[in-house]
Amino acid sequence: MDTPQPSVAGPADGTEWSPPLPEAPGFAHVVVETPGLRTHLAEIGEGEPVVLLHGFPQHWWQWRAVAPAIAAEGYRVLCPDLRGAGWTEADAPDVGRESRLGDLLALLAALHLDRVHVVSHDMGAITAMQLTYDRPDRVRTAVQLSVPPGFMSFSPKVLPGFRHLPPFIWHRAGTPLEGVFSASYVARPMAPDVEEAHLAPLRRPEVDGAVRRLTRGMLLPEGLRMARGVYRRRRLTVPTRFVFGLRDRYWNEEIMGLVCGDPDRYADRADFAYVPGAAHFITDDAPEAVAGLALDWFDRAG
């Protein structure tokens, strides 16, 4: 059976999408059809491919300032809406631990991409981590934002980093998520129109309903594997840079020193970088720094 090819799903300005796509000049928008999924993909630039995997509760627009900066240096930057987010549509609502990993591999196949650089944030980092461990042949380099390595050890001091999960585990349809961008997670207040752009797809029942399914079906099972030390018994062979905001209350330089004190034991090449003036939502707080650290890592480790 032939692999489905990308098909243009609407004008580049996004006005015919529901809800309308937020404004981001320079991006082309297509839908990539793979079995059971129609992935909305925002793309910019030409050259060696870079895949940016958004966090929660965000989508492709999270990369609106990062992607153009990377593309300007000669890269083709692809920003998919992952299953249960943005404008991507799935035939079935269920989400398992590796559902998004399978989706990503299918997307790479549909686009005929053998190896890519991967930059990920928050929940997108779970899928990126799975890819680097299970299919390192598909990844040139990885940059992981605001999420600790899979090989981290556990300490009572990391427990506050999970305090945000209960509302998502028990999320009720229609419950607002504006509080996720509170002062606990951003270095400076996020403008109301920016919050609205990030959260607009939650008006789609499929996306709102995925809050619980993603947390219970993917995040918690993978978190338990990390707690059991699954990734400390494996070797990370993909060169990976782990980036955190210095103002991140829960995952910061002090905590990384505590739980990742001997990275060479678990990884061939692991690098840690810290961004001043940034907290958890680092791509909103410091997009220029994120793009610069990613480009530097592509050059040094690719």
Side-chain angles (χ1 to χ4, degrees), residues 67-80:
I70 295 176
E73 297 301 318
Y75 291 92
R76 177 189 180 192
V77 188
L78 305 110
C79 309

Side-chain angles (χ1 to χ4, degrees), residues 147-189:
V147 173
F151 57 76
M152 67 173 284
S153 61
F154 269 72
S155 159
K157 289 190 175 182
V158 308
L159 293 178
F162 300 96
R163 64 189 294 271
H164 62 289
L165 291 181
F168 305 146
I169 295 171
W170 304 106
H171 178 74
R172 297 177 61 184
T175 302
L177 291 182
E178 283 83 357
V180 76
F181 299 119
S182 72
S184 296
Y185 300 101
V186 296
R188 61 188 61 86

Side-chain angles (χ1 to χ4, degrees), residues 100-201:
R100 284 183 164 183
L101 174 61
D103 296 340
L104 179 58
L105 289 169
L107 177 67
L108 297 181
L111 297 174
H112 306 290
L113 300 176
D114 293 327
R115 297 183 72 211
V116 298
H117 300 282
V118 178
V119 182
S120 60
H121 177 254
D122 189 75
M123 201 177 285
I126 299 296
T127 301
M129 180 184 70
Q130 293 169 341
L131 183 69
T132 56
Y133 277 98
D134 294 345
R135 293 300 307 270
D137 57 305
R138 307 302 297 272
V139 188
R140 294 184 183 276
T141 67
V143 177
Q144 186 167 308
L145 308 173
S146 305
V147 173
F151 57 76
M152 67 173 284
S153 61
F154 269 72
S155 159
K157 289 190 175 182
V158 308
L159 293 178
F162 300 96
R163 64 189 294 271
H164 62 289
L165 291 181
F168 305 146
I169 295 171
W170 304 106
H171 178 74
R172 297 177 61 184
T175 302
L177 291 182
E178 283 83 357
V180 76
F181 299 119
S182 72
S184 296
Y185 300 101
V186 296
R188 61 188 61 86
M190 192 176 288
D193 61 325
V194 174
E195 285 194 23
E196 164 59 21
H198 284 314
L199 298 176

Side-chain angles (χ1 to χ4, degrees), residues 169-251:
I169 295 171
W170 304 106
H171 178 74
R172 297 177 61 184
T175 302
L177 291 182
E178 283 83 357
V180 76
F181 299 119
S182 72
S184 296
Y185 300 101
V186 296
R188 61 188 61 86
M190 192 176 288
D193 61 325
V194 174
E195 285 194 23
E196 164 59 21
H198 284 314
L199 298 176
L202 284 158
R203 296 200 294 268
R204 297 179 54 218
E206 177 177 346
V207 175
D208 191 25
V211 173
R212 287 176 65 157
R213 288 190 284 267
L214 285 166
T215 309
R216 297 181 180 196
M218 184 186 74
L219 187 57
L220 290 181
E222 196 60 84
L224 290 173
R225 283 164 55 86
M226 292 171 65
R228 294 199 304 267
V230 169
Y231 293 102
R232 292 196 295 277
R233 297 190 291 273
R234 302 179 67 179
R235 187 85 184 161
L236 177 61
T237 60
V238 173
T240 303
R241 169 171 276 177
F242 301 93
V243 181
F244 303 88
L246 281 175
R247 293 179 60 181
D248 192 322
R249 296 187 181 185
Y250 308 110
W251 304 111

Side-chain angles (χ1 to χ4, degrees), residues 256-263:
M256 289 305 104
L258 177 66
V259 300
C260 298
D262 188 15

Side-chain angles (χ1 to χ4, degrees), residues 38-51:
R38 290 164 296 285
T39 298
H40 166 247
L41 176 70
E43 181 176 348
I44 188 170
E46 297 181 357
E48 200 169 87
V50 180
V51 176

Side-chain angles (χ1 to χ4, degrees), residues 236-298:
L236 177 61
T237 60
V238 173
T240 303
R241 169 171 276 177
F242 301 93
V243 181
F244 303 88
L246 281 175
R247 293 179 60 181
D248 192 322
R249 296 187 181 185
Y250 308 110
W251 304 111
N252 50 44
E253 190 169 9
E254 178 184 357
I255 293 295
M256 289 305 104
L258 177 66
V259 300
C260 298
D262 188 15
D264 292 344
R265 181 178 177 183
Y266 306 104
D268 288 357
R269 189 172 184 182
D271 178 80
F272 290 79
Y274 301 91
V275 177
H280 175 79
F281 287 103
I282 192 169
T283 56
D284 280 277
D285 285 335
E288 299 88 355
V290 169
L293 286 167
L295 288 164
D296 174 71
W297 192 242
F298 301 163

